[in-house]
Amino acid sequence: MRQSRGFIVLSMVFILLAVSLALGVTVTILSVGNAQTSFAISEGMEARDMLDGCIEDMLLFSRGSDSYAGGTIARPEGSCVATISKSGSQWTATVRTGGSFDQAAEVIFTRASSGVTMVSWHAVP
């Protein structure tokens, strides 16, 4: 009788350890997944911020010179590439960042002697 009690207690200890280990591993895996998601969101937001800055720079360069044709735009956080096509006073620019969180947008704007006016802005794949 005494031997079966010891077996039951020992079995209960092993069961509790197994359940605790399973819970610990599950929480760790969920935490790692959450951290990866947060990192990806953060990097994506930084890439979008860089894209916005590159578009602003491209619009400033376009406003400054009628002969601006795009090219590499250097920023402190990285660089972007702008390609521009012109149809009279309406210009279409595609701006793309590089890296693992690549972002791109197509911007249509009109350029006049008084400045630039944005017509549309939308993300492209």
Side-chain angles (χ1 to χ4, degrees):
M1 179 87 163
R2 193 157 173 92
Q3 237 177 2
S4 69
R5 279 181 147 182
F7 178 74
I8 292 172
V9 169
L10 193 57
S11 296
M12 290 299 285
V13 167
F14 283 132
I15 290 172
L16 289 174
L17 284 173
V19 169
S20 297
L21 181 64
L23 285 173
V25 168
T26 302
V27 168
T28 301
I29 289 172
L30 290 174
S31 296
V32 168
N34 192 20
Q36 288 174 333
T37 301
S38 296
F39 176 73
I41 289 171
S42 173
E43 290 294 311
M45 288 174 61
E46 285 180 19
R48 181 52 59 113
D49 289 343
M50 186 171 79
L51 177 66
D52 289 343
C54 287
I55 290 172
E56 288 175 7
D57 287 351
M58 180 272 310
L59 289 171
L60 285 171
F61 297 152
S62 298
R63 180 179 182 207
S65 172
D66 186 40
S67 63
Y68 180 67
T72 301
I73 300 170
R75 298 193 43 83
E77 61 268 23
S79 63
C80 303
V81 175
T83 56
I84 295 179
S85 63
K86 303 171 186 177
S87 176
S89 65
Q90 184 164 320
W91 294 19
T92 302
T94 302
V95 180
R96 181 174 296 279
T97 65
S100 57
F101 291 91
D102 184 35
Q103 298 281 324
E106 182 179 79
V107 180
I108 300 172
F109 60 98
T110 56
R111 185 190 182 282
S113 59
S114 59
V116 295
T117 304
M118 189 175 303
V119 176
S120 72
W121 183 108
H122 64 274
V124 294

